Amino acid sequence: MIDRIDRDGSISRGTYLFVVVSLVLLNLLIFVQTASHGFIILDDNDYVRNNPHVLSGLTLRNVSWAFTSFYASNWHPLTWLSHMADGQLAGPSAGWPHLHNLLLHTLSTVLLFRLLERSTGALFRSAAVAALFAVHPMHVESVAWVAERKDVLSAFFLVLTLLAYRGYAARPVLHRYLATLCCFALGLMAKPMLVTLPFLMMLFDCWPLRRIRPFAGKPGQPKELPEVSLARALWEKVPFIILSAASSALTLAAQREAAMMSLEKLPVSVRLGNAVVSYLRYLEKTFWPVKLTIFYPLSLSGMEPWRYAAAGMVLALVTVAVVVFARRAPYLPFGWFWFVGTLVPVIGLVQVGGQAMADRYSYTPHIGLFVMVVWLAGDLRGKLRLSRKNGGLLFGCAVAVLAALSFMRAAQFRDAGTLFSEAVRVDNRNYLAYTMLGISRQEAGNCQAALAAFREAAQLNPDYLEARFGAATALEQMGRKGEAMAELRSLLAAHPEYTKARLSLASDLAGSGLVDEAIAQLDAALERDPRSAVAHHNLAVAFEMKGDSGQAIYHYGKAIVLDPGYVECYGNLGDLQLARGNRAAAVESYTKALKLDPGYLPARQSLQTILSH
């Protein structure tokens, strides 16, 4: 297979190895710098930094949580397991998680080259597509951001699934089919965006595999594959479609409560308009990847109707063109429909979050565009009689430019301050960037600058509650507790459902000696969210301050039932049991806390004191 002649020319085993090594070095050149980078707050806190399930590693309890939790509005157990493996190996360090992302991206790059080369016989074109996948600046977000492990992990299984499917198409036996199905299931457990993969398999059947009878026997097929009817090809995809439907249902359940926007807040017309405009913006940034940012704010009011109409017209014209040229250039509809189809789950028809689009969403859809560009360029080179050497030189220059842009983009992910300062520079109306910049400044102890950033964010988007909450926490850190409490009261008057602010206000009230008012706020929080372990824990602390140990023990127990991994709750319950003279119960609570987190110092010190007496 490696030594055959392809239409790009004669190749050798050494050439093949050279391509693979070059692809690996390209990735290392751009991304090895991330090994010294830190976390960037946004999502990294939920996914790693403040996630005890991840930091405590691959325990039976944590594995169970990964498969049963809708934490962070997602169901992707394999992604959680990969983060837990990092926690097991490296603890809270960011270095290894970054290298893990780099490893997965590099493997996906090499496997993508292998997939295309085996399916088309065009070694150099396949290498070119893989190189573009490796170095494109829009892919930096997926690789250099720890929380986007789900991107690189799911892409790895996407390519692996198609490789397994290609093997099944060459020799359709049961164990190869089951291997393909298994790879797909793992990919869905990494990120549900892979629900469109059965559609991609049908595209592969048409081109480059050409195994469906209407397309079989045409030029471009590297070796004879068993032909199948269209009905048989569709029937083969039924188990894959069932898995996609199940994954979609789980994802909707996970995101419905916390992250999904209602039709009242974002009408269908705005969703459709944003979708067609975003397709064009993805195309624009693919060919001109400048002014990239981690967040592109969505306009809830939409834009002028003519912009939607113009964008829709362009998309329709491109679609018609690729269909018209399908017979002469079958890679055009393959690449275009890959791009359009794989973006459907994240294009905003079901809107999750406040972004209009995201660089990371282009990670696997770009494969289709790169196939279109590379194969078209290769055909045009022949028609223009451009030598292979000159064509290769032009392509090498393009890759070098993209690699340089990616290197600089990856450097911006060094820390939150650098990343979000750049985001604000690119778009000074980016309210999320200002909020994250405020949090990073707050963590650095620069509360005055943090407050200014939070105020700017709140002014840009008064409905973004995190900005106003951030301002309250900055005021509290500056010792302006009265102003902080006034900010929280104002926030809750307008948005009584914002439990996070209510919990913070209750904590401030308890700290100021207003325990009864704190209890009232916590009761209100539990009315809106009865399953809040934090609210039960804080209510227990408040009752303990009031001297009602019975109620305190009850609410500590409720918090532990709701969150069995709540280390601090076990520690505080142990302190209360010890104060009541119940040494055995205190020892049990401290032991459970240390079992969950062996580094939890308060429980360790208290347990040592008990045992020494």
Side-chain angles (χ1 to χ4, degrees):
M1 179 66 69
I2 292 176
D3 294 310
R4 69 165 179 265
I5 306 299
D6 78 357
R7 60 185 166 198
D8 286 330
S10 176
I11 64 169
S12 65
R13 197 176 296 271
T15 304
Y16 196 95
L17 182 61
F18 172 78
V19 169
V20 171
V21 171
S22 298
L23 292 172
V24 172
L25 290 177
L26 264 178
N27 281 307
L28 290 176
L29 177 68
I30 297 168
F31 294 111
V32 75
Q33 61 176 305
T34 62
S36 62
H37 291 184
F39 296 110
I40 63 163
I41 302 172
L42 183 62
D43 287 351
D44 280 353
N45 283 358
D46 288 336
Y47 275 72
V48 181
R49 291 176 78 199
N50 300 333
N51 191 324
H53 299 285
V54 166
L55 295 177
S56 54
L58 288 163
T59 66
L60 187 61
R61 183 192 298 270
N62 290 341
V63 171
S64 173
W65 173 86
F67 279 90
T68 58
S69 170
F70 284 163
Y71 185 74
S73 301
N74 275 297
W75 186 81
H76 42 39
L78 194 63
T79 295
W80 288 128
L81 295 180
S82 76
H83 284 301
M84 289 172 190
D86 291 344
Q88 188 86 30
L89 290 169
S93 167
W96 173 248
H98 279 299
L99 287 176
H100 194 161
N101 278 17
L102 170 56
L103 174 63
L104 288 168
H105 179 60
T106 304
L107 287 172
S108 296
T109 301
V110 173
L111 289 176
L112 176 61
F113 161 63
R114 177 66 170 163
L115 170 66
L116 293 174
E117 188 275 328
R118 287 196 68 195
S119 301
T120 66
L123 179 134
F124 294 112
R125 296 184 187 194
S126 302
V129 171
L132 291 174
F133 177 79
V135 305
H136 199 281
M138 290 182 76
H139 296 182
V140 170
E141 191 173 288
S142 296
V143 185
W145 186 0
V146 171
E148 285 311 307
R149 170 70 52 74
K150 52 185 177 286
D151 269 2
V152 289
L153 186 60
S154 63
F156 169 77
F157 281 107
L158 180 147
V159 181
L160 201 61
T161 300
L162 290 175
L163 261 174
Y165 182 65
R166 198 268 173 208
Y168 164 75
R171 188 160 156 265
V173 293
L174 180 61
H175 72 271
R176 292 191 176 200
Y177 184 84
L178 293 177
T180 307
L181 195 63
C182 180
C183 289
F184 178 51
L186 291 171
L188 289 174
M189 288 191 286
K191 187 176 183 179
M193 188 173 169
L194 264 61
V195 292
T196 57
L197 210 152
F199 167 72
L200 299 185
M201 294 164 72
M202 287 299 297
L203 283 180
F204 253 81
D205 281 339
C206 299
W207 187 90
L209 299 184
R210 296 187 181 276
R211 63 189 293 260
I212 301 177
R213 282 175 193 146
F215 304 96
K218 303 287 181 67
Q221 186 174 328
K223 64 177 289 186
E224 285 296 321
L225 296 177
E227 293 182 16
V228 296
S229 65
L230 179 60
R232 165 68 185 273
L234 289 169
W235 181 249
E236 288 175 343
K237 311 304 181 295
V238 170
F240 295 86
I241 293 170
I242 291 171
L243 284 180
S244 288
S247 178
S248 299
L250 284 168
T251 302
L252 289 172
Q255 296 179 341
R256 183 177 290 114
E257 292 295 325
M260 196 177 296
M261 284 195 185
S262 66
L263 289 173
E264 292 78 13
K265 189 172 185 180
L266 192 67
V268 172
S269 59
V270 177
R271 294 170 190 247
L272 289 172
N274 177 68
V276 294
V277 170
S278 292
Y279 271 117
L280 289 193
R281 292 182 71 191
Y282 280 116
L283 288 172
E284 174 198 353
K285 290 189 176 296
T286 298
F287 294 100
W288 192 249
V290 297
K291 293 189 175 181
L292 302 181
T293 183
I294 197 167
F295 182 75
Y296 301 92
L298 171 69
S299 173
L300 299 182
S301 58
M303 57 180 69
E304 298 91 335
W306 70 266
R307 293 183 184 273
Y308 294 154
M313 184 66 71
V314 171
L315 291 178
L317 288 174
V318 174
T319 303
V320 170
V322 301
V323 172
V324 167
F325 287 98
R327 186 173 295 275
R328 279 183 286 175
Y331 51 80
L332 291 177
F334 169 86
W336 179 248
F337 290 122
W338 175 304
F339 169 70
V340 172
T342 51
L343 273 174
V344 166
V346 291
I347 203 62
L349 299 177
V350 178
Q351 184 65 36
V352 177
Q355 70 285 337
M357 57 177 287
D359 291 350
R360 59 190 177 274
Y361 293 160
S362 70
Y363 190 62
T364 51
H366 264 163
I367 294 172
L369 285 183
F370 294 157
V371 168
M372 288 179 69
V373 170
V374 168
W375 256 259
L376 182 61
D379 285 356
L380 289 176
R381 181 188 68 79
K383 287 182 170 39
L384 296 173
R385 297 184 178 179
L386 184 68
S387 70
R388 182 183 298 169
K389 180 179 179 181
N390 289 336
L393 184 62
L394 286 173
F395 178 75
C397 290
V399 168
V401 170
L402 291 173
L405 291 173
S406 289
F407 184 88
M408 291 186 288
R409 178 66 176 150
Q412 294 168 6
F413 280 78
R414 178 171 57 252
D415 53 57
T418 303
L419 180 65
F420 294 110
S421 294
E422 174 63 17
V424 167
R425 187 193 67 79
V426 168
D427 178 9
N428 62 8
R429 297 193 59 78
N430 192 329
Y431 64 89
L432 181 84
Y434 274 111
T435 303
M436 294 299 115
L437 185 59
I439 295 173
S440 68
R441 288 172 173 174
Q442 200 172 7
E443 288 190 350
N446 191 351
C447 294
Q448 190 65 51
L451 181 61
F454 288 133
R455 295 289 193 211
E456 184 67 29
Q459 186 174 353
L460 289 170
N461 185 356
D463 292 328
Y464 189 57
L465 307 185
E466 288 293 325
R468 294 181 62 185
F469 179 76
T473 60
L475 287 167
E476 184 175 354
Q477 261 187 279
M478 294 164 69
R480 295 156 63 176
K481 183 169 281 192
E483 292 178 68
M485 291 171 67
E487 182 79 36
L488 291 170
R489 289 183 190 278
S490 172
L491 179 56
L492 287 168
H495 301 278
E497 77 286 353
Y498 193 41
T499 303
K500 188 175 179 179
R502 198 172 295 280
L503 293 175
S504 182
L505 177 59
S507 180
D508 287 344
L509 289 168
S512 301
L514 303 172
V515 180
D516 287 334
E517 192 174 349
I519 290 173
Q521 291 290 346
L522 290 167
D523 283 337
L526 284 171
E527 281 181 21
R528 294 187 174 274
D529 184 8
R531 297 191 60 77
S532 172
V534 175
H536 277 291
H537 170 268
N538 293 357
L539 197 54
V541 173
F543 276 117
E544 193 173 349
M545 292 174 66
K546 199 176 177 181
D548 191 340
S549 59
Q551 281 293 318
I553 290 173
Y554 169 78
H555 284 288
Y556 279 135
K558 290 286 289 184
I560 288 169
V561 169
L562 291 169
D563 183 2
Y566 204 149
V567 176
E568 186 182 358
C569 193
Y570 282 111
N572 288 342
L573 177 58
D575 292 341
L576 177 57
Q577 295 285 18
L578 186 62
R580 298 181 74 198
N582 194 340
R583 289 163 58 93
V587 168
E588 182 182 358
S589 293
Y590 292 140
T591 302
K592 287 180 178 177
L594 290 171
K595 187 175 180 181
L596 290 167
D597 181 5
Y600 187 56
L601 195 58
R604 183 169 298 281
Q605 290 174 336
S606 298
L607 188 59
Q608 287 174 347
T609 301
I610 293 174
L611 296 177
S612 64
H613 291 81

